[in-house]
Amino acid sequence: MFGSIPAALTFYWRMQMPETARYTALIARNTKKAAADMSAVLQQDIVEEVEVVESHVVGGDTWGLFSRQFAKRHGVHLLATTTTWFFLDIAFYSQNLFQKDIFSKVGWIPKAATMNAIEEVYRVARAQAIIAMCGTVPGYWFTVAFIDIIGRYIIQLQGFFFMTVFMFALAIPYHHWTTPGHHTGFVVLYAFTFFFANFGPNSTTFIVPAEVFPARLRSTCHGISAACGKAGAIVGTFGFLYSSQGKTAATRDKGYPKGIGMKNSLLVLAFTNLAGLTMSLLVPEAKGKSLEEMALETVEEGEEPQPSTSRV
């Protein structure tokens, strides 16, 4: 519950923020208020230009989510953003939430039954902190540094690719990693999967949906994409909990049915990453383009929209 406090503290300041100028001008059609809001934010005078605004509201404010126009212009984009977020969260949440179990089974930290509560908390926290500092956090900063240089498409593609490679490298010789003396290698490869998750789809899957859809449907499509991601998190969390159980009573937790084992579960995650890689081929590149260009909001009705799939 403590996590609700920082969120609550942001509420007042969020309520003081104006609506985005694009929504106010393009959807609410209040160019005067949009100009005033932007003037306050940028602290400089901005003059409303009704003609310019009207040239950017071609079609996007008349057709809906389930229309033929949306399917033609953005159907593939929505398929790409929903499926890639779904596949990512299956793998990412499985790896993240069950680090303790994975580390115990490869012998990096002792089994819970051999430690008291304080020692277990310390060892698990230390292990997760090492993974975060060596993999998760640097991955995010790499994305910040390179997203407008190499683009969203390449970052997401290479992220899923290396997540797949490293997960196969963990899963195929799994028994090798569980033998004494090889735990460090397992942890290094495991950290790399988190590095390329964050220098990859765990960053881009929530950036791309905010850039490729028209203003009127942008939040809706982003919400649909995010909901698919959370569905993937549910599948990954409960699926991995049961699938990673061993095939014999001695290799599974008390009270759980027989699973496919840790090795096969990691293989499933590898193939999940591969599926995410495949669907990422449909993700458009937004680097260097305005939101209007990406959303095809300046394309007249009857014109053939040009697919925004440029990679450079």
Side-chain angles (χ1 to χ4, degrees), residues 84-238:
T84 53
W85 206 335
F86 176 78
F87 288 128
L88 165 72
D89 278 5
I90 290 177
F92 188 77
Y93 277 80
S94 297
Q95 291 177 244
N96 219 350
L97 296 178
F98 295 100
Q99 287 184 58
K100 175 179 70 71
D101 304 283
I102 295 172
F103 295 154
S104 294
K105 290 188 177 181
V106 299
W108 190 35
I109 61 176
K111 294 186 180 299
T114 65
M115 300 181 287
N116 61 44
I118 295 177
E119 182 183 6
E120 182 181 8
V121 168
Y122 168 73
R123 286 182 176 271
V124 171
R126 183 182 65 175
Q128 292 183 335
I130 291 172
I131 294 295
M133 297 306 297
C134 296
T136 310
V137 175
Y140 266 131
W141 284 111
F142 267 68
T143 297
V144 171
F146 291 105
I147 193 166
D148 283 325
I149 298 175
I150 63 178
R152 292 91 167 126
Y153 176 78
I154 296 298
I155 287 178
Q156 181 159 321
L157 213 61
Q158 61 90 31
F160 267 126
F161 174 78
F162 284 110
M163 288 172 69
T164 303
V165 169
F166 287 120
M167 194 55 68
F168 275 125
L170 293 173
I172 294 174
Y174 174 74
H175 296 296
H176 166 77
W177 300 121
T178 61
T179 57
H182 299 115
H183 305 152
T184 301
F186 181 94
V187 172
V188 170
L189 293 178
Y190 197 73
F192 270 119
T193 65
F194 280 99
F195 174 83
F196 283 105
N198 283 1
F199 184 36
N202 199 42
S203 296
T204 56
T205 50
F206 65 79
I207 294 174
V208 172
E211 297 179 323
V212 301
F213 299 107
R216 181 169 178 265
L217 300 171
R218 187 167 292 137
S219 294
T220 301
C221 293
H222 196 287
I224 293 171
S225 302
C228 288
K230 298 320 114 184
I234 294 171
V235 171
T237 300
F238 287 97

Side-chain angles (χ1 to χ4, degrees), residues 34 52 57 91 97 128 182 196 209 244 254 262 271 289 299-300:
V52 174
V57 290
L97 296 178
Q128 292 183 335
H182 299 115
F196 283 105
S244 61
K254 185 178 179 180
M262 183 63 73
F271 281 109
K289 296 182 179 180
V299 177
E300 296 282 354

Side-chain angles (χ1 to χ4, degrees), residues 265-280:
S265 296
L266 293 176
L267 281 172
V268 170
L269 296 185
F271 281 109
T272 301
N273 290 327
L274 185 60
L277 172 64
T278 303
M279 297 308 297
S280 292

